[in-house]
Amino acid sequence: MAVGELANLLADERPAVQERAMHLLGQRGADAVAVVREIAAKNPSAMARRNGVWTLVRIDTGASRTAVRAALDDKDAAVVMTAMQGLSVWRDAGALE
């Protein structure tokens, strides 16, 4: 399945589908960051944005860290909390800047 198709599943109503998409996107690594970053930043669904952040946390590249830091400014508190949790997992001192 293509990265874009997997990323769209982050908004699926079924938790098992969401989890599988996050897992597979995490395995794609840096190749998935750009697409998942768009979901995490612009999807109208807070659930999809939150799942996008968790997916980026699984990838752990410079680009994914930047995208997770950007999620700290999300309008939804659950997305912000997810970003904070992800940054704490990484112990990301860059998030303090």
Side-chain angles (χ1 to χ4, degrees):
M1 189 175 282
V3 171
E5 292 176 271
L6 286 171
N8 287 333
L9 294 176
L10 296 174
D12 195 281
E13 293 296 321
R14 299 166 291 180
V17 172
Q18 295 169 23
E19 276 295 323
R20 183 75 174 147
M22 286 189 283
H23 175 74
L24 293 173
L25 287 164
Q27 287 182 332
R28 301 282 174 101
D31 293 339
V33 171
V35 173
V36 176
R37 179 180 53 225
E38 287 298 308
I39 297 287
K42 298 181 180 175
N43 195 286
S45 164
M47 177 186 61
R49 294 194 312 275
R50 188 180 66 238
N51 288 339
V53 171
W54 275 128
T55 302
L56 291 164
V57 170
R58 292 177 186 215
I59 296 172
D60 193 11
T61 64
S64 66
R65 285 180 182 235
T66 299
V68 172
R69 289 178 197 138
L72 292 172
D73 294 326
D74 196 274
K75 61 186 174 195
D76 185 86
V79 176
V80 173
M81 291 296 294
T82 301
M84 291 172 66
Q85 288 177 315
L87 294 168
S88 71
V89 166
W90 289 329
R91 297 179 186 225
D92 187 2
L96 300 174
E97 298 172 359

